[in-house]
Amino acid sequence: MSAEAIEHAHGAEGGEALAIGLRQQVGILLLIIADAAFVASLMFTYFYLRGLNTDGGWIPRGSPTLSIPEAWLIALVIVASAAAYRWGQRGIWRGDVRRLMTGTTLAMTLLLADLALQIYRLATLPFVTTTGSYASVVITMAGAHVVHLLITAVLGVGIWIRARKGLFTEQSHWHVRLVGYWWTWVAVSAILFAATTSILGK
Amino acid sequence: MADQVAVGPSTAPAAGGIMRRLNILTGVALGLVVGAIGWAISHALLQSDAYGSDQVTCITMVSWLLGFVIGIGAFVGPWRWLIGKDLTEEDRLFMAGKDQGVSRYFRFCTDHKVIGIQYLVLTMVLFFVGGVLAMLIRTDLITSGSHLFGLQTYNSVVGLHGIIMIAATIIMVSGPFGNFILPIMIGARDMAFPRVNALSLWLLVPTVPVLLSAAFLGGIPTGWSAYAPLADQAPPGMDAFLLTIIGFAVSVALSGMNITTTALMMRARGLTLGRTPIFVFGVVASVALGLVAFPMFMSSQVLEGLDRTTGTVFYVAQSGGSVWLYQNLFWLMGHPEVYVILLPGFAAVLELVPVFCRKPLFSFKGAIAGMAGIIGLSLFVWAHHMYISGFAPDLNGAFMLTTELISIPTGLLILVLVGTIWRGRVWTRLPMMAVYAMIWNFIIGGVTGIYLSDVPVDQAMHGSLFVVAHFHYTLMGGAMVGAIAGLSYWFPKMTGRMLNERWASIGFWLSQVGFQVTFLAIFVLGLEGLPRRVGDYQPQFQTTNMIATIGAYVIMIGMLIYAGALIASWVSGQPAPANPWGAKTLEWQVPTPVPLENFAVLPVVTSDFYGYGEPEPTPSAPEPEREPAVAPAGSQSEEAIQ
């Protein structure tokens, strides 16, 4: 039974809902740690291959590189999306479901824009997977970001629908908070990807 | 909007619905249909591509996996959450397998006890398949020049044997006992996330045929470590391998999250960390380590998959990639994984030794410190697998030091074990006999590991059969025997039947004799210089190889007898009392078979569980306080508890 459902059934003061909510909080944080280990492995891959530059194959002579401002633009859009979600989340703290829905709608719009930007960027990159190890890592990181965005989009739709159905109240909004953790992590990982790919090296 | 807030959660109809018709058959059926669709579309669109065959293989297998988990009902809960129609109480009880008899074992059942049994059966199936492959290997090596199969097939059999056994040993304790026993042991009604728990099991099931399909797709000619660039050049069987690893890593991450959360957040009142059974610490240490380590493994395989299907060059040296990258990512998981396997086995024997010695655990805090030390150091030893790869010779000294250091906390665990047995009034039943065997085996495996951690010795021994004997003593002789001890100990609680110890002991000891013969012989072969992963050898190695093969057959006979005793006891053994060992931990205080919700009222713990030999409370001592039950997520309503 979800924390929200239990609170509706037994009243907002239920210690049970709090226990379940805290449990879910620990769970989502542990999943974020696991995902962070995966992101860290991609960053390790970037710096390791950059450091080795085997046979000058990191960025072969004459090969183009990524537009760094574009990478940061993609990161900033998802940061703005996370901020909008956070704004909506603060609304539900006061029982303002309309603000939660507005915030989630705005966050979803920005997220979808970010997804479109990322896909457009992938489609128009000045290099391909076989160009060199730099190209391979950059494309993989972009793919990882797309996966992050798709997962977040599904969660955002769920939050929006549940908010519309009145399943969140001032006292009962654990899932809003938990999705907020994930959304924030996705923004942080986008910053990490952008920062990593900003360090080129030859 | 205020009106909407006042409305309770929307719920689906109370009974019926497609959810109740889903089971393993619908999972297989949908998996096959979606897999066929995936194959047809990808074959039509991608076959002509340079990476077409690998792309088609991957898409087909991913489609099968997705179809299976959808078909068995894994996404019913998430879907209902998404559309705002939460599962009803009746739905949840259905998913928990209430009143469903045996059929619940073939469904997406959320009851942790059912999942524990499902893990146990899956583990036994994996050990059986891996064991058959081991016998094929040893039979092929019985004489010089004998070829049961070709050399390339030999490599694939070795690879399949390795990865199947590694997977089985990773889940053999934290799967069956971490699911069945751990929640009861901490006084909980279920795991923190019952549906995630079922998902972690049912993600594994469809990966088994995927892995086995590798045998028909050119095999896994790389061995279980799947080193690049061999893996880059391997046939599509390699795709089956890497998709299995990715599915396995996701499952382990979900399981690790779930078990850790359960142990941290759902302990009964009064069950402070100082009173928490050592088994819980061991399992949590293992799965928490896996939570961080397995994403690295997954990453290594994702990059391998991208190299094979999209032309990335992560491991292609002439294009700027590096095979050392693969080895680093792989062993960043690969060595912690050894402790992911070992710690739960150790914890199981640390849990049962006080019961059979009627003594408190010798240095509970020492055992915790040992586990903590192992976890911390295990993240800094990975490159001892790469001494001779040329990766970073300047770091060899540092990694030699950390690897030798890890023997200290590991030795501490052995010390706690021996200290607990020391001067105990030992009740020598099968679980305890397995402890003796484990101590013997693990000391041999551990000491040879210290040799191998030394760079000069490793330079001579790396790639030889000495390494094979070392890790079999550690993982099979140590961890797996620990798991056998645990299974023999918790069998009555899990199955409701007493294990036929006579036949189980005969089988166990026979397998132990065979084990010593086989792997001591393999140590000798390694010292004589015979490399591992070779399907043929010079005649001078023949006698020792034959001894090793005879030993392997003795292991097989012993394990078949043990397995036969298990199955026969499970089917028609003596009914087990609730607490046949007179143990004090909570799982032995509930009835056998364990009721759906474990406890009628949640317990309150007032002392630790290792007070054997200490004065019993006087009759006038007050009864432990009990409190009304609190339902965990997704298990049942307050009304049902009342």
Side-chain angles (χ1 to χ4, degrees), chain A residues 1-2 4-6 8-10 15-16 19-20 22-28 30-31 33-35 37-38 40-42 44-45 48-49 52-58 60 95-98 101 129-137 139-140 154-159 161-170 175 179, chain B residues 1 4-10 51 80-86 89 92 191-193 195 253-254 256-258 260-262 264-266 291-293 295-296 298-300 302-303 306-307 310-314 317-322 324-325 328-329 332 382 386 391 630-639 641:
Chain A
M1 183 178 281
S2 72
E4 278 76 23
I6 284 176
H8 278 291
H10 306 303
E16 186 178 348
I20 293 172
L22 289 172
R23 208 179 290 164
Q24 292 175 339
Q25 180 171 279
V26 171
I28 194 77
L30 288 171
L31 280 184
I33 287 172
D35 191 58
F38 184 79
S41 74
L42 291 183
F44 171 80
T45 298
Y48 188 72
L49 293 179
L52 282 181
N53 191 16
T54 314
D55 282 345
W58 170 244
D96 187 348
V97 178
R98 188 178 296 276
M101 288 185 64
T129 52
T130 50
T131 302
S133 49
Y134 166 80
S136 294
V137 191
I139 291 169
T140 304
V154 172
L155 294 172
V157 167
I159 291 295
I161 291 174
R162 294 175 73 84
R164 187 166 177 276
K165 291 194 168 207
L167 296 180
F168 299 127
T169 65
E170 183 180 351
H175 288 182
V179 170
Chain B
M1 194 54 65
Q4 288 178 350
V5 173
V7 174
S10 305
Y51 304 96
R80 295 275 284 271
W81 177 87
L82 188 67
I83 61 174
K85 291 183 176 178
D86 287 331
E89 186 56 31
R92 272 182 284 277
M191 300 288 276
F193 307 104
R195 291 201 301 268
L254 292 175
M257 177 275 287
N258 206 356
T260 307
T261 307
T262 304
L264 287 178
M265 306 298 291
M266 294 179 69
L291 199 65
V292 180
M296 304 282 182
M298 180 167 140
S299 178
S300 73
V302 167
L303 301 187
L306 290 172
D307 271 9
T310 68
T312 55
V313 295
F314 290 107
Q318 68 264 33
S319 302
S322 170
W324 286 330
L325 171 65
N328 274 296
L329 288 174
L332 270 166
W382 80 93
M386 300 162 65
F391 149 65
V630 177
S635 69
Q636 69 168 42
S637 70
E638 188 178 80
E639 291 78 10
I641 299 166

Side-chain angles (χ1 to χ4, degrees), chain B residues 210-425:
Chain B
V210 169
L211 182 59
L212 295 179
S213 73
F216 307 99
L217 294 169
I220 306 169
T222 57
W224 86 274
S225 49
Y227 268 20
L230 281 178
D232 281 349
Q233 301 152 7
M238 207 66 234
D239 299 318
F241 173 91
L242 61 92
L243 284 173
T244 301
I245 297 304
I246 292 169
F248 189 76
V250 173
S251 166
V252 169
L254 292 175
S255 177
M257 177 275 287
N258 206 356
I259 290 176
T260 307
T261 307
T262 304
L264 287 178
M265 306 298 291
M266 294 179 69
R267 297 193 311 278
R269 274 181 62 191
L271 190 58
T272 58
L273 285 178
R275 290 174 178 167
T276 302
I278 196 70
F279 178 70
V280 178
F281 279 97
V283 172
V284 170
S286 163
V287 296
L289 188 57
L291 199 65
V292 180
F294 277 83
M296 304 282 182
F297 194 13
M298 180 167 140
S299 178
S300 73
Q301 301 307 313
V302 167
L303 301 187
E304 179 62 60
L306 290 172
D307 271 9
R308 292 174 58 86
T309 57
T310 68
T312 55
V313 295
F314 290 107
Y315 307 135
V316 183
Q318 68 264 33
S319 302
S322 170
V323 295
W324 286 330
L325 171 65
Y326 180 86
Q327 294 182 31
N328 274 296
L329 288 174
F330 180 82
W331 289 115
L332 270 166
M333 178 288 303
H335 206 82
E337 168 253 0
V338 171
Y339 298 100
V340 168
I341 294 170
L342 270 176
L343 282 175
F346 253 115
V349 299
L350 287 171
E351 187 63 50
L352 65 89
V353 163
V355 176
F356 289 92
C357 295
R358 286 298 187 262
K359 269 183 69 186
L361 190 67
F362 173 76
S363 187
F364 178 84
K365 288 179 182 171
I368 305 289
M371 289 177 187
I374 286 173
I375 290 178
L377 282 168
S378 72
L379 295 168
F380 300 98
V381 298
W382 80 93
H384 71 229
H385 293 274
M386 300 162 65
Y387 283 153
I388 61 169
S389 70
F391 149 65
D394 292 343
L395 292 177
N396 282 357
F399 279 104
M400 184 170 76
L401 181 65
T402 53
T403 308
E404 288 178 348
L405 278 177
I406 208 167
S407 63
I408 296 173
T410 312
L412 194 54
L413 292 183
I414 292 282
L415 183 67
V416 172
L417 206 50
V418 175
T420 308
I421 298 170
W422 183 255
R423 292 189 174 175
R425 298 175 62 187

Side-chain angles (χ1 to χ4, degrees), chain B residues 124 491 495-501 503-504 560-575:
Chain B
M124 289 169 72
F491 185 88
T495 65
R497 306 276 183 178
M498 293 304 291
L499 179 62
N500 182 332
E501 280 195 50
W503 281 105
L560 286 175
I561 294 172
Y562 182 81
L566 275 185
I567 294 167
S569 304
W570 201 336
V571 172
S572 58
Q574 292 280 333

Side-chain angles (χ1 to χ4, degrees), chain B residues 158-212:
Chain B
V158 170
L160 266 177
H161 161 76
I163 191 61
I164 288 173
M165 287 306 205
I166 289 287
T169 49
I170 286 171
I171 63 171
M172 70 186 168
V173 175
S174 53
F177 313 128
N179 275 288
F180 195 113
I181 299 296
L182 186 143
I184 313 175
M185 198 177 240
I186 62 169
R189 293 189 184 285
D190 203 331
M191 300 288 276
F193 307 104
R195 291 201 301 268
V196 173
N197 199 22
L199 178 62
S200 63
L201 177 277
W202 287 108
L203 272 175
L204 289 181
V205 173
T207 61
V208 175
V210 169
L211 182 59
L212 295 179

